[in-house]
Amino acid sequence: MLRSLGRMGAAGRRGWLMGAAVALGLAAFGAMPAEAQQGKVLKWGAAREIASLDPYSFGDTFTLATLNHVYEGLVRYTGELGIEPALAESWETVSPTIWRFKLRRGVAFHGGEAFTADDVVASLQRVSHETSPLKGNLPAYKSSRKIDDHTVEIEVTGPYPLLLNDLTNIFILSKTWMEKNNALLPTDSGKGIKGYATDNANGTGPFMVESRRPDARTVFVVNPKWWDKPQHNLARIEFTPIASAATRVAAMLSGEIDFTNVAPLQDLPRLSAAPGVKVMQSSELRTVYFAMNLKDQLPNSDVKDRNPFKDVRVREALYRAIDIDAVHRRAMRGLSRNTGAIVAPAIPGYQPAQDVRLPFDLDGAKKLLADAGFPNGFGFTLNCVSDGLVNEEEFCQAVAAMWTRAGLKVTLDLAPRSQQTPKRVRGEFDVISFGWANEPMIDAYSILIQVIRSKSGTGGVFNWGDWGRADMDALIDAAGVELDRPKRIALMSEALNIIKREHLFIPMHQQPMAWAIRGNVAAMVQASDNKPRLWLTKMN
Amino acid sequence: MSDAAPLLSVRDLRVVFDTRRGRLVALDGVSFDIAPGEILGVVGESGAGKSLTGTAVIGLLEPPGRIDGGEILLEGRRIDTLPPAEMRRVRGRQIGAIFQDPLTSLHPLLTVGAQLEETIRTHLPLSRAEAKARAVALLREVGIPSAETRVSQYPHQFSGGMRQRVVIALALAAEPKLIIADEPTTALDVSIQAQITALLRRLCRQHGTGVMLVTHDMGVIAETADRVAVMYAGRLVELGPVDQVVRAPRHPYTAGLMASIPRMGAREAVLAQIEGSMPRLGAIPPGCAFSPRCPSASARCTAEVPALPPGGTGAACWHPVAEPAHV
Amino acid sequence: MSDPIALTVQDAVCLFDVSPPFLDRVLSGARRRVLRAVDGVSFTVRRGRTLGVVGESGCGKSTLARMIVGLQPPTAGTLRLEDMPRADGSLGRPRVQMIFQDPYASLNPRWRVGDIVAEPIRELKLLQDEAAVQARVAQLLETVGLAAADAARFPHAFSGGQRQRISIARALATEADVLVCDEPTSALDVSVQAQILNLMRRLQAELGLTYILISHNLSVVRHMSDDIAIMYLGRFVETGPAEEVFAAPRHPYTRLLLETIPDVQRPNRDRQPLSGEVPSPIDPPPGCPFHPRCPQAETACREARPALEAHGGREVACFLVR
Amino acid sequence: MAEGAIRRWLGSDMGLSFRASPVAVASLAVLVLVALSALLAPLIAPQNPYDLKQVFIDKAEIPPIWMRDGEWPFLLGTDPQGRDVLSSILYGTRMSLLIGVAAVAVSMTIGVSIGLAAGFLGGWVDNLLMRIADTVLSIPTLLVAILVSAVARALLPPGLREPFAAVILVASISLTGWVQYARTVRASTMVERRKEYAQAARIIGVSSARIMRRHILPNTLTPVLVAATLNLGLAILAEATLSFLGVGMPITQPSLGALIRIGNQYLFSGVWWLVVFPAVQLGLIVLSVNLLGDWLRDALNPKLN
Amino acid sequence: MLAFLIRRLLNAAGVMLTVAFLAFMIFRFVGDPVELMLNEQATQAQRDELRVRLGLDRSFPLQYLSFVTNAARGEFGISYRNQQDVIVLIAERLPATLELVLVATVLSLAIGIPLGVYTAIARNSWGAQLLQFGSVLGVSLPSFAVGILLILVFSVTLGWLPAFGRGEVVQIGWWSTGLLTPSGRMALVLPGITLSLFQITLVMRLVRAEMLETLRTDFIRFARARGLRARSVSFRHALRNCLMPVITVTGLQIGNLIAFALVTETVFQWPGMGLLFVQAVTFVDIPVMAAYLMLVSFVFVALNTLVDLAYAVVDPRLRQDSVKHG
């Protein structure tokens, strides 16, 4: 803070001090402990705006991670991605399909309402309502019931090992508050109804929303009555979305922001070299791979009579044609972790044996193509998202060039997510780049059920290219109801082995994540799920 | 010609334009005097340099034009070398100007009164009220009815003739000693022309103002001027009392010009005509500029430039028309 | 007087609607306003002769000219060209052409002179053979006093007088019989004016052209015309043989007009300038339109409008002329 | 023949004014150089940046040749994909010029036709056309261009978007671009058609269409020429702005604006040559065009001489 | 005058209806709103129900009519992206953009007019030539490049001015202003310069051209011939005559500035309407796009009308209902 003030000049300093004074003045109403009164202000420059203050409006990881500072679930992940109690103190399984949660006592919402079982039931009903966009995040949910004010039972559709993982991201809203503001149901853009919860928030979390100007600034202030003991010393978080990477870096360098959770890879050397800026960098859970459309015909290929990708030799050729070291060194700036598997090591289901890549072998690739009947290659379109994965533009271009050298005629289709997603959902693609972090479950079941499973009910939502197979489906379904962890993991590993053997996907790397903080940030937890947990942040 | 010391004296005036194609001599060796109260008509065809002479006298030549030689004296004081700020004070105060088109000479967004008052107060130490009173008086003097209300009107509310009266009022606002009137009637209707020339004549007689009347219309000159200066291709070819020049021109050009005007009295079968046309500035022939068109040109005419006779009256010609032309 | 008639104009009227837009009229309750540019004009022109039309700006003389050449349809009345014998003996409608005032605007600056003069020949298909067209152009240029070689040059290479010659050549290229000349020399210098007037006179004599000469310059009209018409606010106020009108003007306007024209031959004469200004043709004064400026105006002049009546060889529209 | 024409032109008033203006000479020289190098890009560029076979990511981010790690033949260095920056600029310039020239040509053709029709025919045709022009003018150019690009991309099937990106850009710039020409031409048409030479043609009996085409059109083109020159600069800038905003040329066939957008992402990473060289090239082109346009406007303005 | 006003208003209404039609077409035909609003699992019955609810089953003119009446009431629906009332969304960002545009306009007039006058009066001087060249440079540099450059120099290298955002704002009713806080004013500097640079050169070039034109007129020559002071000739006489085109262009350019602000807003992350629009374009957020289009056109048309009225105030020739005749 003081450092940044020095750079603002005298005129700017007064404004910032005034702002801080207002924040402190407001906070003083709540009879704050002495420690919090000297709380710090953290200026957070994010790469984009959160979609809404309503935690049930968008199944968007970043929005949920940010709202997690305001809202909480029954359980939460630790900094090491273990599950720990949050609004629930303890739980037990009454039967394979019924879970009973003991709720924490003495918890209050920011608005003052006491936290009770009614809130949990109302929240679960809201999130699982048929118009809820987050319905899919709680796939096994059947119903919930209040036992007493601080006990709730949740019934699932069948034996389901991952309920707790799912619940980390289901945040609890106050029932009375929802009732009062006519927000018991999720926002329905179809009805043209704007939900009260879109602009207002009332959670139990460590921070409260003080003000929000979309695309400009959202201010969070510390919740003095938080049930948990704060491990942070923040009084205030000023959240500002800065979409332009260059501007964000500039703001970081000039001290206008203290923290960004998206530091562009290419700017890391510059940021690390800058005085007073520190880069926090490691690998994410998210594994990046290429997926090929396995429908009967490719929409954009010059091969019309069949789908070349149905031939495993073609898939292998594409795999072998990739010089992953070049991608790692250049496109990913040496910060990615090359992988032969499609889940990260931290994900249950991962096996080191799967993590061995096919070697880069251009001649082998050409030979495989020739064997498959394409000595002169064939043409197809590579669909990549310009605002998606880390350096997606770069590695897609690099891989396109590599495939071209193998004799294929690659057209690169780069566009924003909003334009690419519809095409992908409709199956109108030949090859796509794809990344899956297995969140919020932190379990390989996530990718298996959602991406790999053939389409059926809640399964295979992301199986856009018909790459599901009966043998895998059987393994996945078995894992979905297996409550014994070692058996379940074995089932999942078997399914993943099939993918590996058949080269159904071409794995690339676990993508890097890079945060940048200024020197005034003393401690910050960066877990491999790439979610900021600012309630674990200390500033000087 | 008046015996008094000249009000304006122009000596050997030379004006050039420096262009990309070289230097063009637009005025060369122009000399004349104007006595107080005298009206000198400067006549010539388009491109002869008559307007330029007026512009040079009033010091409004714009680049690339500039005075390259000679001198201009106003009441014996040299004014062509004055610094711009002093020349500005001469303009309006000592030399007034009237331009051809009354439609465009007045600022469209300022009232007539405002323009008059500003001119008056720029040159005369009058208060705002006094200036206003003088503005009204001036309008009345140039014959604008109900001047008190007209003074606060905008130019577009006046008719053409009335506007030219306003222009005259503006030119006279600070009682200058000399007026340069550049084609003051050309843009007006025939019946209005006479009103304006009459007004000009009356005012100058009353105030004793000298006038340099620039026009291409021999008729206007004949009616208004005391003396006439005839210009051709940037030079003065003849200078003399109006009667003499009109009735008995000495220069073949003047003679031809006079003869080519259709007469009101009788209808001739064929008009006398001067063949060819005036040379462009870049192509003025050596010697007498008129020689290629002149019926009586000799070898000398193409070699030497003729000058006006000593005393400045007569024709600049090696072979002037001997006999007074028949009227 | 025995020459056959080339053009008959009968009660020609040309009105222009100069009303404010519809909405303004509705809101301010204003009436439609009509500019009576030409307000009932009748005359005839005889073949091979020149009719001079004189008037001040805004009197409608240019509109009249445009009506005769067909650029402006008359609101009412008729303009009739009488058939005349062709070279082959047949009768045909005479061709009318116009000579304009501004020699700089009357020639397309992007065309070569040869093409300008040849345009009517090609357009009217008077000659089929291109070589014949070129020959005819050369001949026309020489007729108006230019060189055949000038055909290859662009108009900007010519002086005002030469351009007017080109205009005349273009008009002649149509084998025109009637030329309407709208202020043909008012943009020219006096010495050049004489050249053009002489040329026009020569061509009239050689080709038997009929001229309608529109001008505000009385001396030019006097020099050129056989007959003359004085126009004031859309009407003829006096017509008759030029000699007679100039020698003894009958209408007060004609008299005053003649009086105000500066006369080179009489330097420094004192004269009484015509007072007042030309009224607007939109709001002409009631009665005789000239009465506000007329020194002899009587009550009758304010009330009724005098018609053009024959007085000897002339016609005059004035109550005071009896 | 051409040489003779150039020599003749250099001797004319315009030519003299041109020779007397070092700025005009320099601008034209720069433009000719830039246009030639862009046209000949396939022949002179060290690399074809569109041909993925020639792009090696191992050659990524090589600095310009005069810097420490510079490497032949990458005179101006390479981008993060290993594309030669000089080649990208040459091909990008080609794209920018192509779009700029095409946009100007299309808007000029439309605008001149509409302006001529409105000015010559007058009446309700004029009224209708000018109301359309008013409406087009009431939406800012940039906004129209963004909307058209966005809408066209939303409507076109994915496979057609890339090949048609340039066409969409030309269309979106021309959609508002024609109005200026239409107004200019309409105004001068209304002046010209009243001029005596046009009336003389009417008296002769020349048809309206012919008068419009042969007489009036050529005489309305001088201001159009000036406007076209100045608009070329604007069109190139518009294209660059759209590409910078991400609604223009795709990364696979980048124009100068797209190159700057890409380079901008590397602004702080020390890879300055990615943004600086395309920006300089863009600025240079537009500056030359504008200086030339300024000179042309002054040279063709009779009042200034 | 009244008739003039009515005519202008009718004209403006016509233009707005046409723009509304365009907006409606985009809204209606670019991407089926039903598809955009519902998620993939929706049944056909749900789709049909939504279609009826949105009035998409009605005839085309009726739909257009209801679009126009809704638009006139400021109802543009709910943003697909933010799920907020579009008009609220826009209203929140309107002050930011208008403040930026205002600053740019004031800068352009305050700097552009004097420079224009100077370059016209001292046309051949060294300084004027340099300024004239600078002005060509000014219109030749893309504004995004200028913005990037300014950030590089003043934020990153020198650290004097903020690189993004509006700083602290003060809420006055629904209007939020950054002009009242030091940090708000600091934040305005770089975007203001970026946005106004083109405008300054535009005004300067316009004033210069108009001044040169005016200085050649007879009435200026006549004013000089009357010996009026150079200052008065330049400012009272010549400049006054140039102000009308300057008013026109400034008025028209405000609309363009609002549009061009979106580039500046993108570069500086300025939380205005332009940024909203750019994001809406990326997200194919049709209601926001349609509303923005309507709003900008409305501002444009309104300014145009005001400019015409201003003409009548400034120019006495237009003040009267006199009919000119020849």
Side-chain angles (χ1 to χ4, degrees), chain B residues 191-192 195, chain C residues 56 232 253 256 274-279 289-296:
Chain B
S191 59
I192 312 297
Q195 298 173 10
Chain C
E56 291 179 274
Y232 191 77
Y253 178 62
L256 285 170
L274 188 61
S275 64
E277 304 202 15
V278 186
F290 186 64
H291 84 255
R293 302 173 77 187
C294 183
Q296 294 122 298

Side-chain angles (χ1 to χ4, degrees), chain A residues 348-418:
Chain A
Y350 167 87
Q351 285 176 302
Q354 289 177 344
D355 207 353
V356 181
R357 288 186 62 88
L358 284 181
F360 165 53
D361 174 11
L362 193 57
D363 294 331
K366 285 178 180 163
K367 185 171 177 305
L368 282 164
L369 281 175
D371 291 348
F374 299 104
N376 299 318
F378 59 93
F380 65 90
T381 298
L382 171 61
N383 173 316
C384 289
V385 173
S386 54
D387 52 355
L389 301 166
V390 174
N391 284 20
E392 185 165 351
E393 270 185 36
E394 284 86 347
F395 78 73
C396 277
Q397 287 187 70
V399 168
M402 291 165 184
W403 283 341
T404 307
R405 276 193 284 278
L408 296 156
K409 291 178 276 294
V410 188
T411 310
L412 184 58
D413 174 17
L414 256 176
R417 183 203 312 265
S418 55

